[in-house]
């Protein structure tokens, strides 16, 4: 019999890749259903309240699952679960050896984007939680977050509300930071009861692995499909998209 000689970290029962292989993925909300949920759950709540955070967490989970499923359909290369499991193992021991594992294989990168998609919520959570009194931030960080022009409720005259909010994601991989900022802007706009007030966002992703470029494109398309209900109308009017994410080139954050 064949003996497994490649070190791999087995994925758990909640693994998206395993569920997808087994046909156990439940259909996500459509863009129209997600917008209706936002208007029903988030819009009536006061930002910073417990009820607002509960509504946000509920809708954030729905939106992320919808974007991930759309990303799975948009992947430039299918995910290779076994090779990703090997990468998963190597990521776990990378700190001990001081050498990052390779992301050169397209199937590995696709697996990483789908399996670690939960990382997209981190930046969104920070931007929402700063409004909640139970979360403590350093004063300088809290001031910066509360005054960000990302939030459409911030009408500070120092910012041109018509200009896009620009994000530079260093070591950004497949574009998780873009999804997080887009989610935060969408939730903030929902609080105004009108998603047309969502701030335009342009994200530039840079990483030492240049192979992420095609996945950044797929992440942008997937995010737009789920979050931009008025995308077709904007294209007909020859207007720039509210949400855009592009590859900015190679950048190694471990070097000066």
């Amino acid at each position: 019999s064949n003996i497994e000689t490649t070190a791999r970290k087995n994925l758990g029962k909640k693994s998206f890749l395993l569920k997808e292989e087994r046909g156990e993925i439940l259909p996500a909300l459509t863009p129209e259903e997600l917008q209706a949920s936002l208007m029903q759950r988030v819009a009536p709540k006061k930002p910073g309240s417990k009820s607002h955070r509960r509504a946000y967490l509920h809708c954030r989970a729905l939106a992320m699952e919808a974007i991930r499923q759309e990303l799975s359909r948009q992947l430039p290369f299918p995910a290779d679960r076994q090779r990703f499991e090997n990468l998963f193992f190597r990521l776990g021991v990378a700190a001990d050896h001081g050498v990052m594992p390779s992301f050169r294989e397209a199937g590995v990168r696709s697996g990483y984007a789908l399996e670690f998609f939960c990382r997209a919520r981190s930046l969104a959570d920070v931007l929402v939680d700063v409004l909640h009194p139970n979360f403590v931030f350093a004063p300088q960080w809290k001031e910066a977050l509360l005054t960000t022009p990302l939030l459409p409720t911030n009408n500070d005259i120092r910012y041109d509300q018509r200009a896009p909010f620009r994000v530079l994601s260093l070591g950004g991989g497949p574009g998780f930071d873009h999804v997080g900022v887009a989610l935060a802007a969408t939730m903030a706009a929902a609080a105004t009861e009108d998603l047309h007030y969502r701030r335009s966002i342009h994200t530039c992703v840079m990483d030492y692995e240049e192979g992420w470029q095609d996945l950044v494109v797929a992440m942008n398309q997937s995010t737009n499909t789920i979050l931009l209900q008025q995308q077709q109308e904007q294209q007909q009017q020859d207007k720039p998209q509210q949400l855009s994410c592009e590859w900015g080139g190679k950048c190694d954050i471990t070097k000066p």
Side-chain angles (χ1 to χ4, degrees), residues 25-241:
I25 299 294
L26 298 177
L29 295 187
T30 66
E32 294 75 20
E33 291 170 338
L34 179 61
Q35 181 175 7
S37 183
L38 285 168
M39 293 298 100
Q40 179 183 1
R41 289 179 175 268
V42 177
K45 307 298 190 298
K46 180 181 178 181
S49 65
K50 292 182 179 180
S51 60
H52 176 269
R53 190 168 191 275
R54 285 196 298 268
Y56 158 72
L57 292 175
H58 176 81
C59 291
R60 183 255 276 157
L62 295 176
M64 286 190 58
E65 184 59 23
I67 296 172
R68 178 160 61 172
Q69 289 188 25
E70 182 63 27
L71 176 64
S72 181
R73 292 187 284 269
Q74 299 274 1
L75 286 176
F77 298 95
D80 187 324
R81 180 175 62 81
Q82 292 186 349
R83 291 185 182 275
F84 168 72
E85 287 177 336
N86 176 246
L87 172 76
F88 198 5
F89 171 81
R90 294 183 183 279
L91 284 172
V93 299
D96 296 332
H97 298 280
V99 178
M100 284 295 292
S102 173
F103 283 86
R104 292 180 181 177
E105 295 187 38
V108 169
R109 293 194 299 272
S110 294
Y112 182 94
L114 291 176
E115 199 66 22
F116 288 153
F117 193 79
C118 59
R119 297 185 175 183
R121 70 189 181 201
S122 299
L123 190 52
D125 288 355
V126 169
L127 289 163
V128 171
D129 288 345
V130 70
L131 301 172
H132 200 283
N134 288 356
F135 293 88
V136 179
F137 292 82
Q140 64 272 25
W141 285 104
K142 186 169 185 176
E143 180 182 0
L145 289 167
L146 287 175
T147 58
T148 173
L150 170 66
L151 304 178
T153 52
N154 178 14
N155 296 317
D156 195 313
I157 61 174
R158 292 176 297 174
Y159 303 116
D160 181 358
Q161 296 295 328
R162 295 167 298 178
F165 183 77
R166 299 188 178 276
V167 179
L168 177 60
S169 180
L170 300 178
F176 291 147
D177 287 342
H178 175 69
V179 178
V181 177
L183 283 172
T186 299
M187 298 298 173
T192 69
E193 300 186 19
D194 190 345
L195 290 180
H196 286 85
Y197 285 104
R198 175 173 40 204
R199 184 64 184 264
S200 295
I201 297 169
H202 177 73
T203 305
C204 178
V205 178
M206 304 182 74
D207 197 282
Y208 78 92
E209 173 53 63
E210 294 181 279
W212 287 119
Q213 182 173 357
D214 51 11
L215 262 168
V216 167
V217 173
M219 192 74 78
N220 180 51
Q221 294 172 339
S222 304
T223 305
N224 283 347
T225 298
I226 300 303
L227 296 183
L228 286 185
Q229 287 76 29
Q230 65 273 37
Q231 181 179 2
Q232 186 175 6
E233 176 185 342
Q234 288 178 319
Q235 291 175 342
Q236 291 174 349
Q237 297 177 0
D238 198 26
K239 294 181 179 180
Q241 290 184 349

